[in-house]
Amino acid sequence: MSATTAAAWSRTRQEPNWLVRLFEWKPFLVIACLLPAVGLLTVFLTYPLGLGIWLAFTDTTIGRRGIWVGLENFEYLLEDPLWWNAVFYSVFYTGVATVGKFALGLWLALLLNNHMPFKSLLRAIILLPWIVPTVLSAIAFWWIYDPQFSIISFLLVDILGVRSTNIDFLGSAWPARWSLIAANVWRGIPFVAISLLAGLQTISPSLYEAALLDGSTAWQRFRYITFPMLLPILAIVMTFSIIFTFTDFQLVYAITRGGPVNSTHLLATLAFQRGIPGGQLGEGAAIAVSMIPFLVFATLFSYFGLARRKWQQGEGND
Amino acid sequence: MASVAIRNVRKAFGPVEVLHGVSVDIADGEFVVLVGPSGCGKSTLLRMLAGLENITAGDIAIGNRVVNQVPPKDRDIAMVFQNYALYPHMTVFDNMAFSMKLAKAPRAVMEAEVGRAAKILGLEQLLQRYPRQLSGGQRQRVAMGRAIVRNPQVFLFDEPLSNLDAKLRVQMRAEIKELHQRLRVTTVYVTHDQIEAMTMADKIVVMNSGNVEQVGPPLELYDNPANLFVAGFIGSPAMNLIPGRIGNGGFEAEGGAVLPLPPTAKNGAGTYGIRPEHMRLDPNGIPAKVQLVEPTGSETQVFLRIGETPLNCAFRERVSAGPGDTIHVSPDLGLVHLFEAGSGRRLAA
């Protein structure tokens, strides 16, 4: 047998071209990957926010470049009853709507967490108020609250006959305030319900079985198992919900535009009202900036008050 | 403490029947293991006993009281779950005291009862920890502690050791058995691991696809398996089950081997069963070709082929033969099992 040896062969290393080398150079790669994100954030987040804060300290109006006036805008706001009114309604609106959304949303989530026919279809239907553009649902509610053509009045007066006159939903301060809150609750429930449903599904069914064997009633299972286990998710959802509700603009602006007689202005609608139709850009910006402390407070409250629980943290004894 | 009677119990999920009439009697203080492959219905049966699944037909009685319509909390049972089902947001103390808290027991009683259980299980130092801060074995103990605190008539265990590593499993196995010997509470234990069943049980119930195959003490099942399923399921390494038929010179196995028969052998056998540990090295035995040698230290497993018939043997002796060599083996004729062709029932020798 003749031994034939193969010609010595080794894999030739090809020199990578300059482009490949450039992309293998880590500093370049880091910058290249970060740039789009940083660019977008700068243009669409940092710049408007910075400009807004800057404007709040100037007396800019539409068409006139303002000068630095320090805290003058804020001092003015503190004496402005309309601002105080908006602060009151923003807090009231957020508080009441959040309670409503969470009570109904949690109830709905608990219902949907059970086995029932058409479960996934029902879950999809629940999401409807959330996916409809806010302005469209606002216009729908505008009709529902219409003094003449309201379906609710129609039902109560013409069908059921429990009232003799139409309800004036949006014509005076308190009914308008409650009407807006109802619309906001309707719109906010899906977010809460679906998020809490996701949270409920992370709770192991065997915990309920164990509690069942331990002799718990349905209420005790909710009180001692479901609620504490849900609390971390509840805190996060509540933080988001409070932020969304406090900064709400579309619903109020589309239904009442802050009326009647400025009684339903939220800080966001008031800021817009002052800044754009009113032309006082500096003052409008100051109103917008005045929301920041409220939001920071709400966030910190739910974060520290509700989110952190010792049992969730891993190791670290005592 | 109480006896448990399961009488002709059936369970159907919709149109699918998963338990086809199961009957088991459990004496007071007995440790009974339900064993079988995945999906055989053993966990379902346990959950029916606990009241977590309703009973489609038949009766379950705990201490002479039929409990079919009794809610779980009134059945006076305690269950240890496969994943322990500890309440993650409660400390070990609160986990163990939860049933008493629900019953509005005074604080002093809770502390005394939890203290007693913690002492039995060596959990005194861990009472203020959260489940997340415990190791697997400690969680397992807490789950048992929660059951002990209840002072139940019956303990139910649903594959409690399957989430532990092999070494811990052996240790906890001994602890559970020791606990049972101390407390003497009727216990029903579900597992798919036949070694757990063999080592722990007073009585084993072997289940397969919704039926009880055999009920008996561990060694009874090992020595006299009722049928092919039990023969193959109980014992490790598993029994050699060689199909074939009885011929003139012995048992003619598929694949060509001819195996010696005990003198009492009757006709009609379709399967020849011999446990690996009942084969011995014998210079006058059947020549067999070595396929694979697996020494485990205490014994040596040798996979052989006689003709084309595979045969697994386990010898106490060290075996020096390697793959491809020929060795001579013979079965211990007193321990050969023959199974009826068709039904798979063991033919009494």
Side-chain angles (χ1 to χ4, degrees), chain B residues 209-232:
Chain B
S209 52
N211 291 306
V212 171
E213 297 281 353
Q214 191 174 0
V215 180
L219 293 179
E220 167 73 17
L221 265 58
Y222 178 86
D223 291 337
N224 301 311
N227 53 36
L228 274 174
F229 180 80
V230 178

Side-chain angles (χ1 to χ4, degrees), chain A residues 209 213-214 224 311-312 316, chain B residues 47 87-89 132-133 150:
Chain A
E209 292 177 346
L213 294 179
D214 274 339
Y224 293 114
W311 58 268
Q312 294 176 288
Chain B
R47 292 169 59 82
Y87 310 118
H89 55 292
R132 189 157 285 198
Q133 300 166 314
R150 302 263 319 276

Side-chain angles (χ1 to χ4, degrees), chain A residues 4 59 118:
Chain A
T4 47
D59 63 355
F118 307 113

